[in-house]
Amino acid sequence: MKRAEVIAGLGFLAIGGVVMWEGIDLGIGRLRQPGAGFSLVGLGGALIALSLVVTIQGLVDRTAGPVLFRDTRWGRVLATVIALVTYAAVLPLIGFLAATPILLLVLLRAIDPVRWPIAGAIAVSASGITWYVIQKWLAIQLPAGSLWEFVS
């Protein structure tokens, strides 16, 4: 028995049950006129089915699995969490277009080192493309930053 797989499978089984329950509570509707909970019921059912597969495999498999978190680099995990919390804190202040390239540079250079030219190109292009898609194509407002109001 692979204990981690059984625990994860049962956890996702519970989550799938809650998702499915909430979908039923919202109303499934009919196939030609689906209700608000129609997709939730389908997604919850799929999650339940997949979690049952993982749970059964964990119960049936008798081989010893790898020890969880043995080779985890906890310093990098902590650095990533700190970077994300800092990003969430400064995002309303300096805005998406300033904060996101900085976050990506920190992640690309400090967490998993990439050369400066590549890290800079990825950070700027990924931030710019993401901003353009979200702001222009999807017309979703991103934080511009309250700091810029004082500067201008």
Side-chain angles (χ1 to χ4, degrees):
M1 177 172 94
K2 291 187 177 178
R3 195 167 141 213
E5 287 185 11
V6 173
I7 292 171
L10 291 175
F12 282 112
L13 180 74
I15 292 170
V18 169
V19 168
M20 203 167 183
W21 180 269
E22 291 298 321
I24 291 170
D25 195 38
L26 284 173
I28 301 171
R30 287 183 238 101
L31 192 56
R32 292 189 185 265
Q33 287 182 318
F38 184 78
S39 61
L40 289 177
V41 171
L43 291 172
L47 187 57
I48 288 172
L50 293 172
S51 65
L52 282 173
V53 169
V54 169
T55 304
I56 292 169
Q57 283 179 344
L59 289 171
V60 172
D61 193 2
R62 298 285 180 209
T63 61
V67 178
L68 290 178
F69 308 119
R70 181 185 327 168
D71 296 326
T72 303
R73 298 181 222 159
W74 290 107
R76 289 186 179 185
V77 172
L78 183 62
T80 302
V81 170
I82 290 170
L84 290 172
V85 168
T86 305
Y87 174 74
V90 300
L91 183 64
L93 228 65
I94 65 173
F96 181 85
L97 274 177
T100 305
I102 295 170
L103 170 71
L104 290 176
L105 272 175
V106 167
L107 293 177
L108 289 169
R109 287 294 302 161
I111 308 303
D112 195 19
V114 176
R115 293 182 317 193
W116 276 110
I118 296 172
I122 291 173
V124 171
S125 62
S127 301
I129 291 169
T130 304
W131 176 84
Y132 188 82
V133 168
I134 292 173
Q135 188 84 19
K136 300 298 181 185
W137 284 359
L138 300 176
I140 297 173
Q141 188 68 36
L142 289 169
S146 59
L147 184 65
W148 306 119
E149 293 173 10
F150 296 114
V151 174
S152 58

